[in-house]
Amino acid sequence: MHSFAEAYSIHTRNRFSPTMASDLNMLSKKLITSLLFIFLVLSPPSARAVITCNMIYKDLKPCLRYVLIGGSVPTKCCTGVKSLVANATTTADRQAACSCVKNLATSATDKQFDRAARIPAQCGANVPFEISRDADCSK
């Protein structure tokens, strides 16, 4: 009489050929790889900012003439501001956008800064951070 472990071993040996065992091993690896891929796709985004200052400058470039000399806010400026707001989806994005805008504000005159700060309201855009030279971009 064989012990349970010996009987199972004999049963398994008789049931699975080396080729079948190799196929199962390969299938297991593919399954694990597939599950890892699914978890990566479904996992929440990292906290790294996707938005860069160059992207922000590009979006806000149509606003430059208005900020420098006044007049009316161009439609393309509003489109850029709304694009910036729509793309700042994570906290890291909003922090990066805030820092870039704050850096731009340091070189503006008071009149230029006041015009720039009024742009979101004139465009109907809800900017998720305070437009201020003293803005706390860590929030």
Side-chain angles (χ1 to χ4, degrees), residues 1-21:
M1 188 76 162
H2 297 289
S3 71
F4 176 76
E6 290 172 325
Y8 181 75
S9 176
I10 292 168
H11 174 72
T12 304
R13 251 184 283 139
N14 292 337
R15 196 163 177 213
F16 296 110
S17 69
T19 305
M20 287 177 71

Side-chain angles (χ1 to χ4, degrees), residues 113-132:
F113 181 80
D114 290 340
R115 282 193 286 263
R118 288 193 303 260
I119 291 173
Q122 291 178 342
C123 293
N126 185 19
V127 177
F129 52 84
E130 177 187 7
I131 297 178
S132 164

Side-chain angles (χ1 to χ4, degrees), residues 2-139:
H2 297 289
S3 71
F4 176 76
E6 290 172 325
Y8 181 75
S9 176
I10 292 168
H11 174 72
T12 304
R13 251 184 283 139
N14 292 337
R15 196 163 177 213
F16 296 110
S17 69
T19 305
M20 287 177 71
S22 175
D23 290 345
L24 281 174
N25 189 26
M26 187 61 149
L27 182 64
S28 295
K29 287 179 182 177
K30 286 181 179 179
L31 180 63
I32 290 171
T33 303
S34 297
L35 287 173
L36 286 173
F37 178 74
I38 289 169
F39 289 136
L40 279 172
V41 169
L42 296 177
S43 66
S46 67
R48 224 176 43 223
V50 175
I51 291 181
T52 65
C53 286
N54 284 340
M55 292 167 66
I56 290 167
Y57 299 156
K58 183 179 170 234
D59 282 343
L60 299 181
K61 187 176 179 181
C63 304
L64 189 58
R65 180 175 171 86
Y66 168 76
V67 170
L68 293 175
I69 60 174
S72 60
V73 178
T75 303
K76 286 185 179 183
C77 172
C78 290
T79 302
V81 170
K82 290 176 182 176
S83 173
L84 169 60
V85 171
N87 290 324
T89 57
T90 67
T91 299
D93 287 335
R94 290 186 291 275
Q95 290 169 335
C98 176
S99 294
C100 294
V101 171
K102 188 175 176 179
N103 283 340
L104 287 172
T106 59
S107 60
T109 67
D110 288 341
K111 280 187 175 185
Q112 292 168 344
F113 181 80
D114 290 340
R115 282 193 286 263
R118 288 193 303 260
I119 291 173
Q122 291 178 342
C123 293
N126 185 19
V127 177
F129 52 84
E130 177 187 7
I131 297 178
S132 164
R133 287 185 175 113
D134 303 322
D136 180 2
C137 295
S138 67
K139 295 179 182 178

